[in-house]
């Protein structure tokens, strides 16, 4: 079996296959269009669409991203199995989410702006220590709601608990996951009304498109914080800017946007209280080679694959 490995990551595959490294910015050479497995990492949507047409013998597409939405939308034949990189990013994304949460809660964006102005921000000191507002500047006692309670959330939640936060989740179905209470989507409004920090780790699907709109932000406690390390397509960005401008949101931090790279002219750059990072939360898939090896072995044996999202 021939497997195509992208040049965007070192992937020492040990399975008994013919592994060929390809350039994600170039056409697939004719001599390698007989590949039966394809690993993708940082590939463009247009490249994936072309690969769907150019690889007639393909049996498996292994995405290394936590979400495989770009691959699912590329037009690969129905009999091509598609697997995601779920779990490869649990540690890195949880770590980055924690950094964004703390930065937004403690308003490090404002302090960074003051530093650039060579300004010792005395009013910030007073606000942070005032009895009426000091609870906003700490996770101790804060109610944190994670919407999209999968493996990343299960890694993140204990970090937040250790800092004194009360953590709960929202997912399609209610229950308990990794020791945390998870509410159903249908009960979101009541949950948001008591939420101090809302964290999204949702994928991009038809059901989640623009989920975080004016109604969702309006359902939050006034002065709540919003953090998105899921997908940009889940957020109505105009509503996000409006919620920050009105004070409904005290601060927000996003690692993803609808348009990436975010154009210099985009109004998100100037939204008050918004911290933006360039989709770097999960930029280090941990254990990718092991996952690829295992799925290739399973594919050759006719067994079920790990993280299979289609068919």
């Amino acid at each position: 079996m021939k497997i195509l490995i992208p040049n965007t990551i070192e992937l020492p595959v040990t399975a008994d296959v013919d592994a060929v490294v390809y350039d994600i910015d170039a056409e697939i050479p004719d001599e390698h269009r007989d590949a039966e497995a394809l690993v993708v990492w940082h590939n463009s949507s247009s490249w994936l669409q072309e690969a769907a047409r150019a690889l007639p013998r393909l049996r498996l597409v292994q995405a290394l991203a936590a979400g495989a939405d770009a691959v699912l939308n590329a037009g690969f034949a129905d009999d091509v199995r598609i697997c995601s990189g779920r779990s490869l990013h649990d540690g890195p994304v949880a770590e980055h989410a924690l950094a964004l949460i703390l930065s937004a809660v403690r308003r490090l964006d404002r302090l960074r702006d003051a530093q650039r102005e060579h300004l010792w921000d005395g009013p910030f000191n007073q606000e942070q220590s005032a009895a009426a507002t000091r609870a906003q500047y700490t996770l101790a006692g804060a109610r944190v709601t994670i919407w999209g309670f999968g493996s990343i959330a299960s890694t993140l939640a204990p970090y937040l608990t250790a800092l004194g936060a009360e953590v709960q989740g929202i997912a399609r179905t209610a229950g308990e996951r990794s020791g945390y209470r998870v509410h159903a989507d249908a009960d979101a409004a009541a949950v948001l009304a008591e939420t101090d920090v809302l964290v999204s780790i949702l994928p991009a699907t038809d059901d989640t498109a623009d989920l975080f709109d004016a109604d969702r932000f309006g359902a939050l406690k006034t002065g709540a914080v919003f953090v998105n390390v899921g997908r940009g397509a889940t957020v109505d960005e105009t509503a996000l800017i409006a919620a920050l401008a009105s004070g409904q949101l005290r601060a927000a931090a996003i690692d993803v946007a609808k348009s990436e790279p975010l154009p210099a002219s985009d109004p998100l750059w100037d939204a008050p209280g918004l911290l933006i990072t360039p989709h770097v939360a999960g930029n280090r898939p941990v254990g990718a080679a092991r996952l690829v090896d295992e799925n290739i072995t399973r594919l050759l044996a006719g067994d079920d694959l790990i993280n299979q999202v289609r068919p």
Side-chain angles (χ1 to χ4, degrees):
M1 172 184 285
K2 180 178 290 184
I3 177 173
L4 301 182
I5 305 291
N7 63 344
T8 46
I9 186 171
E10 290 187 16
L11 207 62
V13 175
T14 60
D16 187 16
V17 293
D18 178 14
V20 176
V21 175
Y22 70 90
D23 184 346
I24 68 165
D25 295 317
E27 291 186 0
I28 299 172
D30 290 342
E31 64 269 26
H32 297 314
R33 296 193 174 196
D34 59 345
E36 296 180 65
L38 171 68
V39 179
V40 298
W41 179 238
H42 290 170
N43 302 66
S44 68
S45 296
S46 59
W47 191 96
L48 291 171
Q49 291 165 10
E50 177 57 30
R53 293 188 290 268
L55 300 173
R57 297 184 58 186
L58 205 59
R59 299 169 60 191
L60 166 66
V61 179
Q62 175 66 66
L64 299 185
D69 42 291
V71 178
L72 290 168
N73 294 329
F76 288 99
D78 290 342
D79 60 347
V80 176
R81 295 201 237 180
I82 296 175
C83 297
S84 74
R86 182 180 183 272
S87 82
L88 300 182
H89 304 275
D90 292 357
V93 175
E95 183 180 283
H96 194 79
L98 179 62
L100 292 182
I101 293 166
L102 287 169
S103 295
V105 166
R106 299 190 66 96
R107 293 304 309 274
L108 297 190
D109 60 301
R110 174 174 164 178
L111 297 178
R112 177 63 177 176
D113 289 345
Q115 179 184 345
R116 287 179 177 143
E117 297 296 325
H118 297 189
L119 174 67
W120 190 265
D121 196 342
F124 179 90
N125 191 309
Q126 295 171 8
E127 292 168 24
Q128 188 188 43
S129 59
T133 57
R134 64 186 174 202
Q136 296 180 334
Y137 291 89
T138 179
L139 285 176
R143 179 166 290 182
V144 179
T145 299
I146 304 174
W147 201 327
F149 210 96
S151 58
I152 294 172
S154 295
T155 302
L156 172 63
Y159 299 160
L160 299 169
T161 299
L163 292 172
E166 178 186 335
V167 183
Q168 59 189 341
I170 300 177
R172 284 192 294 268
T173 57
E176 183 176 296
R177 302 187 187 183
S178 301
Y180 292 90
R181 184 181 181 186
V182 176
H183 304 267
D185 288 340
D187 300 321
V191 176
L192 295 181
E194 300 298 324
T195 293
D196 297 297
V197 180
L198 174 60
V199 182
S200 172
I201 316 181
L202 286 171
T205 67
D206 290 342
D207 291 335
T208 63
D210 284 338
L211 177 69
F212 299 104
D213 57 11
D215 290 340
R216 294 282 189 233
F217 292 132
L220 285 164
K221 288 174 65 174
T222 301
V225 166
F226 175 67
V227 173
N228 186 15
V229 291
R231 286 292 184 266
T234 64
V235 178
D236 178 336
E237 294 173 345
T238 299
L240 173 60
I241 294 170
L244 287 164
S246 70
Q248 175 62 22
L249 289 177
R250 187 172 71 92
I254 59 173
D255 184 55
V256 288
K258 282 185 174 176
S259 179
E260 297 181 4
L262 191 64
S265 60
D266 196 287
L268 280 172
W269 291 114
D270 298 313
L274 178 62
L275 174 65
I276 301 173
T277 57
H279 205 152
V280 293
N283 213 21
R284 294 165 287 142
V286 178
R290 289 194 301 273
L291 176 62
V292 173
D293 275 336
E294 180 65 23
N295 269 346
I296 290 297
T297 300
R298 288 172 177 240
L299 182 67
L300 291 172
D303 296 335
D304 292 337
L305 303 184
I306 300 171
N307 296 348
Q308 184 167 329
V309 295
R310 203 206 76 182

